[in-house]
Amino acid sequence: MAPSELLDGEPADTRAAIMAATYRALCEHGYANLTIQTIGDEFSKSKSLLYHHYDGKDDLLLDFLEFMLERFETDVFGEADADADDRLESLLDHVLCDRLEEERAAFTQAMIELRAQAAHDPAYRDHFTRSDQLFHDDLADVIRGGIEDGVFRDVDADRVAALLLTVMDGARLRRATAENDAAIRATRRELDAYVEAVLLVDRTS
Amino acid sequence: MAPSELLDGEPADTRAAIMAATYRALCEHGYANLTIQTIGDEFSKSKSLLYHHYDGKDDLLLDFLEFMLERFETDVFGEADADADDRLESLLDHVLCDRLEEERAAFTQAMIELRAQAAHDPAYRDHFTRSDQLFHDDLADVIRGGIEDGVFRDVDADRVAALLLTVMDGARLRRATAENDAAIRATRRELDAYVEAVLLVDRTS
């Protein structure tokens, strides 16, 4: 599910409306040029609500990250009843697709800027430590499920999950900060070689 | 070779002295809290030289990135006469080591902050597009050399190089922005499984 879809429709409450405005402002301005004012410009209710609820831009953005994390969690690995290899493939196809459409590219760039705040800001660091762990656990569960179902070999699920998340984070970083579509495409194809050689049960033998 | 060693000893000229001061200031303050003034505090000559040579902090930092790139290029892949598999292993061990010592951790964080500037600043984006391409070409050459020498299988060197660089960038990002030493260790060990299964010629057969 795309971030925009998480925020589609009529917001359920004031927080959801603020989050939708923050998403739009992040896509338009990125982190560096974002202010409470530019978020307020995307917000249909009174801007004073933003100042009332949040102690500045970073306080609001940390709540935004939390809001997105709660919603992403259940959606990022596709249908829970699909086969583990199909779930893994759709995740890799989603993150390492050939080209991001404009809004998703802008949001990926903003997310890398937010992540870079964690280099010096402990509150951002806490968030990304927690979200890394969450995605890791979810992905390792998918891999363990695949082992149980006989789709994947008897690999170390935590190691495989760690490598795949590192690749996905690397792809996001490279894509957000350089012109290198060819490198992302090549990474995706080489990941298939890895999945085939290390992970998938050889059905021909 | 560590960045600090690139800047060791008596600087050859004013530019080298400015670069050494910039390195120290980046390690100490990171990007977000860096100013021309804090760089000047690390600089033994007149601070007015900094204002004379550079149009602000980003102009100076872009020259610093260029300076580091010129020097890194020849050192990052170890001894050119070593075997390709040894050169690859030392590179992976260097980037994905268990734990970074303090100065290197601080510099890695500052570099991720600089890289994130490329999300909205075309001059940074140009730099990282160029440096990505350079590292890619060097790494692909090492892999091609290994294929020629019969150490590596007949793989697609560009795909392998793309995946490995994406992993290394992902590891740098994760390490700079979250507490996850275990994930880096697990990534390193799973990379061995990949190298063994896809890259290395099987010497037992």
Side-chain angles (χ1 to χ4, degrees):
Chain A
M1 185 180 265
S4 55
E5 292 171 52
L6 296 174
L7 298 158
D8 263 359
E10 197 56 38
D13 54 26
T14 300
R15 183 178 176 228
I18 294 175
M19 296 300 118
T22 305
Y23 172 78
R24 289 190 295 271
L26 268 175
C27 288
E28 189 171 348
H29 303 285
Y31 174 83
N33 301 312
L34 197 73
T35 60
I36 291 270
Q37 182 63 43
T38 55
I39 297 170
D41 292 343
E42 302 288 338
F43 188 51
S44 58
K45 302 183 189 181
S46 160
K47 281 172 204 177
S48 65
L49 271 171
L50 297 179
Y51 294 99
H52 176 73
H53 283 292
Y54 298 101
D55 291 336
K57 150 179 160 176
D58 287 309
D59 189 32
L60 199 169
L61 287 170
L62 285 160
D63 192 40
F64 174 76
L65 288 172
E66 189 61 38
F67 181 90
M68 296 300 276
L69 187 61
E70 290 160 10
R71 273 147 197 80
F72 255 127
E73 211 182 321
T74 49
D75 293 303
V76 71
F77 293 108
E79 302 297 326
D81 56 356
D83 283 345
D85 53 344
D86 289 335
R87 295 180 73 188
L88 187 61
E89 284 294 303
S90 10
L91 175 65
L92 297 178
D93 284 342
H94 176 72
V95 176
L96 293 127
C97 61
D98 273 5
R99 221 186 154 73
L100 300 183
E101 51 89 19
E102 202 178 336
E103 181 181 311
R104 208 177 135 207
F107 186 65
T108 300
Q109 290 187 315
M111 285 297 290
I112 287 293
E113 291 183 277
L114 292 185
R115 183 138 192 164
Q117 303 311 308
H120 61 268
D121 186 321
Y124 281 99
R125 195 170 185 87
D126 284 350
H127 172 85
F128 286 108
T129 298
R130 213 155 34 81
S131 70
D132 266 18
Q133 190 61 53
L134 231 149
F135 285 120
H136 176 96
D137 291 345
D138 282 358
L139 184 50
D141 280 347
V142 171
I143 293 158
R144 269 186 278 270
I147 298 171
E148 278 163 29
D149 294 344
V151 178
F152 295 150
R153 300 179 206 182
D154 189 20
V155 292
D156 183 319
D158 283 310
R159 282 196 211 163
V160 172
L163 176 63
L164 291 177
L165 278 188
T166 304
V167 173
M168 288 188 274
D169 279 337
R172 290 189 186 102
L173 176 67
R174 297 187 74 179
R175 179 123 70 183
T177 59
E179 301 301 328
N180 48 19
D181 285 343
I184 306 294
R185 274 197 301 277
T187 297
R188 178 70 189 91
R189 296 182 75 171
E190 191 58 21
L191 262 188
D192 274 340
Y194 160 75
V195 168
E196 177 88 24
V198 173
L199 203 53
L200 287 181
V201 166
D202 185 356
R203 294 182 189 280
T204 60
S205 64
Chain B
M1 184 180 266
S4 54
E5 292 171 49
L6 297 174
L7 298 158
D8 262 0
E10 197 57 38
D13 53 28
T14 300
R15 182 178 177 228
I18 294 174
M19 297 299 117
T22 304
Y23 172 76
R24 288 190 296 271
L26 268 175
C27 288
E28 189 170 350
H29 304 284
Y31 174 83
N33 301 311
L34 197 73
T35 61
I36 291 269
Q37 182 63 41
T38 55
I39 298 170
D41 292 342
E42 301 288 338
F43 187 52
S44 58
K45 302 183 190 179
S46 161
K47 282 171 202 175
S48 65
L49 270 171
L50 297 179
Y51 295 99
H52 176 73
H53 283 291
Y54 298 101
D55 292 335
K57 151 179 160 175
D58 286 309
D59 189 33
L60 199 169
L61 287 169
L62 286 161
D63 192 40
F64 174 77
L65 289 172
E66 188 61 39
F67 181 90
M68 297 300 276
L69 187 61
E70 290 160 9
R71 273 147 196 81
F72 256 127
E73 211 184 321
T74 49
D75 293 305
V76 74
F77 293 107
E79 303 296 326
D81 55 356
D83 283 344
D85 53 343
D86 291 335
R87 295 179 74 188
L88 187 62
E89 284 294 304
S90 10
L91 175 66
L92 297 178
D93 284 341
H94 177 72
V95 176
L96 293 127
C97 59
D98 273 3
R99 219 184 155 75
L100 299 183
E101 51 90 19
E102 200 178 337
E103 180 181 312
R104 209 177 134 206
F107 186 65
T108 300
Q109 291 187 316
M111 284 298 289
I112 287 294
E113 291 183 276
L114 291 184
R115 184 139 190 163
Q117 303 311 307
H120 60 268
D121 185 322
Y124 281 99
R125 195 171 185 86
D126 283 352
H127 172 84
F128 287 108
T129 298
R130 212 153 35 81
S131 70
D132 265 18
Q133 190 61 55
L134 232 149
F135 285 120
H136 177 97
D137 291 346
D138 282 359
L139 184 50
D141 280 348
V142 170
I143 293 157
R144 269 186 279 271
I147 298 170
E148 277 164 30
D149 295 345
V151 178
F152 294 149
R153 299 179 205 180
D154 190 19
V155 293
D156 184 318
D158 283 310
R159 281 196 213 164
V160 173
L163 176 63
L164 292 176
L165 279 188
T166 304
V167 173
M168 288 188 273
D169 279 337
R172 289 189 186 104
L173 176 67
R174 298 187 73 180
R175 179 123 71 183
T177 59
E179 302 300 327
N180 49 19
D181 285 344
I184 305 294
R185 275 197 301 278
T187 298
R188 177 70 189 91
R189 296 181 77 172
E190 191 58 21
L191 262 188
D192 275 341
Y194 160 75
V195 168
E196 179 87 22
V198 173
L199 204 52
L200 286 181
V201 166
D202 185 357
R203 295 182 188 280
T204 60
S205 62

